[in-house]
Amino acid sequence: MKIRKMVTLDSNSEGFANPQDVQQYMDQNKLKTLSAALKTLMDEHHQLSQQVTQQQQLVHEIVEGIMAQLRPTEKKVTLTDRNVMVLLKLFDGVVVQNGWDNLPIPDDTMKPTTVARKIVSDQIKNDYIHQQTNQRHHRGGSADA
């Protein structure tokens, strides 16, 4: 049983198979009939689709290989993060016990810490003031209300 299908080539569609492009393809590949040209085009499309699929699989395998190599590094980084968190908690405990003014840290180290605390405190205050000002503007109040 043969099934007939009708193919329409539109000369107005840009980027689609218009009659001139199909005729040029037929001339380049020395094809005599439109059905042979369409069959060849479909075969090429199928081959290119398979190549794309194979390349995607290759990319997936490469990514898996790279991730397998990075896993030990990821574990080391995670352990380093945990160690830093332990040290920060230990430092917080020392601060809670002794207070900022009585920390057993030399003055050379304490001065940058104090300066950094002052800068961060000022930034927090400025951000709070900015947020309060924006909230008043959004509520319809004035900035100095």
Side-chain angles (χ1 to χ4, degrees), residues 49-135:
S49 294
Q50 284 181 336
Q51 287 177 358
V52 167
T53 303
Q54 289 171 352
Q55 289 175 354
Q56 287 174 341
Q57 289 174 346
L58 180 63
V59 166
H60 183 69
E61 290 172 5
I62 290 171
V63 167
E64 284 182 354
I66 291 172
M67 291 303 292
Q69 291 177 356
L70 289 177
R71 280 192 189 98
T73 306
E74 182 183 10
K75 289 179 184 176
K76 290 177 185 175
V77 168
T78 303
L79 290 175
T80 303
D81 289 345
R82 288 180 185 168
N83 291 340
V84 168
M85 289 303 295
V86 167
L87 290 174
L88 286 173
K89 287 182 181 183
L90 178 64
F91 181 72
D92 286 345
V94 170
V95 169
V96 167
Q97 283 182 344
N98 298 320
W100 278 104
D101 298 329
N102 298 325
L103 281 178
I105 298 176
D107 289 339
D108 299 348
T109 309
M110 196 59 188
K111 182 172 180 161
T113 305
T114 306
V115 171
R117 284 182 56 229
K118 174 78 173 130
I119 290 170
V120 169
S121 175
D122 290 344
Q123 288 175 346
I124 290 171
K125 287 177 187 174
N126 289 338
D127 189 46
Y128 177 76
I129 291 169
H130 182 71
Q131 285 178 352
Q132 292 301 318
T133 303
N134 283 345
Q135 285 178 358

Side-chain angles (χ1 to χ4, degrees), residues 10-48:
D10 189 0
S11 59
N12 294 330
S13 298
E14 192 172 321
F16 191 70
N18 59 40
Q20 294 86 10
D21 293 338
V22 173
Q23 187 60 47
Q24 184 181 9
Y25 181 79
M26 289 171 64
D27 294 341
Q28 286 175 353
N29 294 303
K30 297 179 177 101
L31 300 169
K32 295 185 181 186
T33 63
L34 180 61
S35 61
L38 293 175
K39 183 179 180 326
T40 307
L41 282 169
M42 293 304 292
D43 290 342
E44 285 182 15
H45 173 71
H46 182 69
Q47 288 174 351
L48 290 174

